[in-house]
Amino acid sequence: MVKHFETRRGVFRAVNGVDVECAPGTITALLGPSGSGKTTLLRLIAGLEEPTCGRVFFDNEDITSLGVQERDLGFVFQGYALFKHMTVAENITFGPRMRKMGIDLDAKVEELLKLTGLTGLGGRYPPQLSGGQKQRVAVARALACNPRLMLLDEPFGALDPLVRKSLRRGLREIVQQVGVTTIIVTHDQEEAWDLADHVVIFNKGVIEQRGTPEEVAREPASPFVMNFVGDVNHLPSHCQLVRKMGFHTDKPYVMCRPSDLSVYTNFEEAPHAAPATVHDKANVGRVVRYYLRFDDGVDVDFAVSRRVDEERYDMDVGQRVFVEAPPSRLMGFDYPELDGTAVVA
């Protein structure tokens, strides 16, 4: 799939040759920074944009030439787009009524209200609902026409973190119960990891990596993916830790995840580790974060759960420690490789 836009600066390559396949009944997350192409691809799938080249298939049916209404889709967008002058029930049945589906609308409403945890709210109007309730009404409305595919574009962006987490769990249960194939666009990694069976990482209009959340987190395919997914430390490639670990790269910098560091308080436990000093310590909710400074002045973050810290570490500022990192978990990079800016040529 390719989608280029003409701009005053040149050709904006929003989607620049990607191929995505979604297995039936699964949730696929399109994940990437702003301008990486994920929302444009969603709009191409929906028929809201015409591709520069490429085709869209549902199973073996080419639906590229079909309009939005003919594609049998359900939509949930960040703003929900509920009709304020209609009740919840009327919002849910809007699609079936427009399509003249000839179903029992009252039964459909009750079914979807129960499915989305909104039983008894069918007579309310959107301004009378909380943000989380509006989001569930939007999901119910998207499911009312029994879509072949459900598309969600940053559906939790307008909600506070606690509500988002609760609704993510609910959405996954709904999708699994209904069995509808779902594509969600997000820039929130936690959201993608909570919801998706399959993750597609976008950068500059192309796909950097695809796989299960576990595969992408465990084996990032590029410096961009490793830097984008999760916390990382950036180190000079000639620094003490990198040299001690025997890691060699022709790149000027090296990345490692705080979770991949092993920290020892006794030299005998790790005689080949790099010595460091606990420079600072912070309690961040359920996590304790240490800031370690090596003898060459390079700093790294090291984070553990509060329970693990109490059982194993409980280190003091100024304490000497010894740090290791598996060479297989280190990655050389240069900063231009981490740039997520879309390409204009």
Side-chain angles (χ1 to χ4, degrees), residues 175-190:
V175 169
Q176 290 174 334
Q177 188 170 338
V178 176
V180 61
T181 308
T182 301
I183 300 175
I184 179 171
V185 161
T186 181
H187 65 275
D188 186 322
Q189 300 161 34
E190 184 179 340

Side-chain angles (χ1 to χ4, degrees), residues 233-235 279 291-294 296-301:
N233 288 301
H234 291 178
L235 311 170
H279 181 64
Y291 301 91
L292 311 178
R293 178 165 293 172
F294 296 98
D296 58 0
V298 174
D299 294 346
V300 296
D301 289 359

